[in-house]
Amino acid sequence: MIILGIETSCDETSASLVKQHPQGNLEIISQVVATSLSLHATTGGIIPENAAREQLKYMIPVVQEAIHTLAKPEESIDAIAVTVGPGLIGSLLIGVETAKTLSLLWKKPIIPVNHLFGHIYANWLTNTEIVFPALALVVSGNHTDLVLMKSHTSIRVLGSTRDDAAGEAFDKIGRLLGLSYPAGPTISHLALKGDSKLYQFPRPMMYSKDYDFSFSGLKTAVLRQVKEIKTLKSKTIADICASTQEAIVEVLVYKTIKSAKKYGVKSLLLGGGVAANETLRVKMQRALTDMHMDTTFFVPDRSLCTDNASMIAAAAFFKKETQPIEKITVDPELYY
Ligand code: KG4
Ligand code: ZN
């Protein structure tokens, strides 16, 4: 079975072909991602209308490139999976209307996919040994969620952010330091040359009894520090980056391990753009090992952590809930 995935919820315009083998394992046949990040960098963040206009330019060429190896796509493709939310309404509509058009043309069903599940199911693209119960930490630009999965259909959100998401904290703090959008990758790169112990930034809600997160206080603490320093030299920026990353990672690891222990999960999954962060990946694995937990750690390849259409196709294989075309609508606020 081959699914064409389409993802346009925010910064990227992506199309992928993903195949499921008879044994159940998934294989990415093609993945094309056109990013609008350089455009958003010029404005210091996303202006929704600009994002959609840019994606409109990319959408058709991206799909064409993803399916160009298929002589007769209408014969090889079994279904079309598309992100219906959460995301920017104009951006989502571009992907969904494209999926509907192809569905009518090729007479193929559409599987609407929640972007957040896409981030979780990115783990299934490269791993076949994931067992339930599983705990997923979804860390993206807008979400920081701990999701307990007892099966593919039994899902419970244990906690989420009360204000800024982890990715948002990276991006906003980066902006304070004069770094361009999105700042997460730059902060993690600059942090390599910085001292992570130099600034003791707060670890918000680390010891709260629930599984929620909060990162806006961290941003305020960094702002205060930056104002105190006045002129930022590159060594100071590196130290602030390292100390910021340390604070975010420490909270994410502490609360994730705490809930993994409490619910006795067999698998721990990371997903979302922030899951590409090397320090987070290393420290999460180390914490599991140090605690001697019987939990296997899974994290998608770096290229599959940030937005892509392969993860949308992957989620569709497990959800398989097709819907008639007239019922499919976008939902910018969609949750689990
Ligand atoms: O999942 P994603 O690509 O898009 C959303 O669904 O939001 O996540 C984007 C977020 C941005 O905030 C970006 O700064 C962050 O992921 N990010 C990182 C890294 N790579 C991307 N944050 C920290 N370290 C990274 N290496
Ligand atoms: Zn995402």
Side-chain angles (χ1 to χ4, degrees):
M1 184 173 182
I2 294 181
I3 291 185
L4 168 69
I6 295 177
E7 154 62 37
T8 59
S9 66
C10 188
D11 304 322
E12 326 290 357
T13 308
S14 179
S16 289
L17 289 176
V18 177
K19 179 176 186 169
Q20 188 171 42
H21 290 277
Q23 302 82 353
N25 56 313
L26 302 180
E27 182 198 347
I28 299 173
I29 301 174
S30 66
Q31 172 172 289
V32 183
V33 183
T35 180
S36 312
L37 287 176
S38 57
L39 171 77
H40 303 322
T42 61
T43 49
I46 298 172
I47 297 172
E49 190 175 327
N50 291 356
R53 281 174 191 269
E54 188 80 348
Q55 288 169 307
L56 204 50
K57 278 192 268 171
Y58 292 143
M59 188 74 265
I60 300 296
V62 161
V63 171
Q64 279 177 319
E65 174 71 19
I67 64 172
H68 85 279
T69 52
L70 304 178
K72 291 192 173 157
E74 67 278 20
E75 284 176 17
S76 312
I77 293 168
D78 297 287
I80 301 163
V82 64
T83 306
V84 292
L88 304 170
I89 189 160
S91 298
L92 290 165
L93 280 168
I94 291 164
V96 169
E97 291 306 306
T98 304
K100 286 186 180 182
T101 308
L102 293 173
S103 154
L104 290 172
L105 187 68
W106 294 336
K107 302 186 176 48
K108 301 293 166 185
I110 299 184
I111 305 173
V113 174
N114 178 330
H115 182 84
L116 301 170
F117 281 119
H119 278 307
I120 294 175
Y121 279 95
N123 286 281
W124 271 266
L125 285 165
T126 40
N127 300 292
T128 50
E129 301 87 33
I130 300 167
V131 283
F132 296 116
L135 177 73
L137 172 67
V138 178
V139 267
S140 66
N142 287 313
H143 288 83
T144 308
D145 306 318
L146 276 169
V147 183
L148 179 66
M149 299 174 80
K150 290 192 177 152
S151 68
H152 289 295
T153 48
S154 167
I155 278 126
R156 196 175 129 208
V157 180
L158 302 178
S160 58
T161 183
R162 300 234 179 131
D163 40 56
D164 292 351
E168 200 175 353
F170 273 112
D171 295 337
K172 286 181 173 171
I173 291 170
R175 201 176 172 153
L176 296 176
L177 298 172
L179 308 175
S180 66
Y181 175 88
T186 318
I187 289 184
S188 71
H189 179 71
L190 294 176
L192 295 171
K193 293 180 231 140
D195 179 353
S196 63
K197 306 274 180 272
L198 201 65
Y199 298 100
Q200 273 306 308
F201 293 132
R203 270 69 169 151
M205 293 187 70
M206 182 139 125
Y207 300 111
S208 67
K209 289 205 171 65
D210 49 38
Y211 298 105
D212 285 344
F213 299 92
S214 160
F215 292 105
S216 76
L218 173 63
K219 177 192 62 196
T220 313
V222 176
L223 175 65
R224 216 176 296 124
Q225 189 65 56
V226 167
K227 279 188 175 157
E228 235 172 69
I229 298 168
K230 292 191 182 90
T231 41
L232 287 170
K233 297 217 172 68
S234 59
K235 173 71 175 97
T236 314
I237 293 180
D239 291 334
I240 295 177
C241 286
S243 303
T244 296
Q245 178 175 265
E246 186 80 357
I248 295 175
V249 167
E250 204 176 303
V251 178
L252 291 175
V253 170
Y254 185 86
K255 285 217 142 156
T256 304
I257 297 293
K258 183 176 136 181
S259 47
K261 259 202 280 183
K262 159 106 196 252
Y263 291 94
V265 297
K266 292 266 172 244
S267 309
L268 173 59
L269 319 173
L270 284 194
V274 181
N277 186 278
E278 184 62 16
T279 305
L280 176 62
R281 295 160 85 101
V282 169
K283 293 206 167 183
M284 194 68 85
Q285 175 64 75
R286 197 178 297 155
L288 276 180
T289 311
D290 290 350
M291 304 296 278
H292 304 290
M293 286 167 68
D294 182 23
T295 305
T296 313
F297 180 48
F298 298 93
V299 59
D301 289 345
R302 247 178 221 89
S303 64
L304 299 171
C305 289
T306 45
D307 293 348
N308 65 83
S310 304
M311 69 184 198
I312 302 305
F317 279 108
F318 295 96
K319 299 280 166 203
K320 287 205 185 110
E321 290 149 6
T322 62
Q323 262 185 25
I325 213 165
E326 64 280 7
K327 289 238 167 98
I328 298 172
T329 50
V330 300
D331 181 356
E333 305 298 331
L334 188 64
Y335 203 45
Y336 295 92

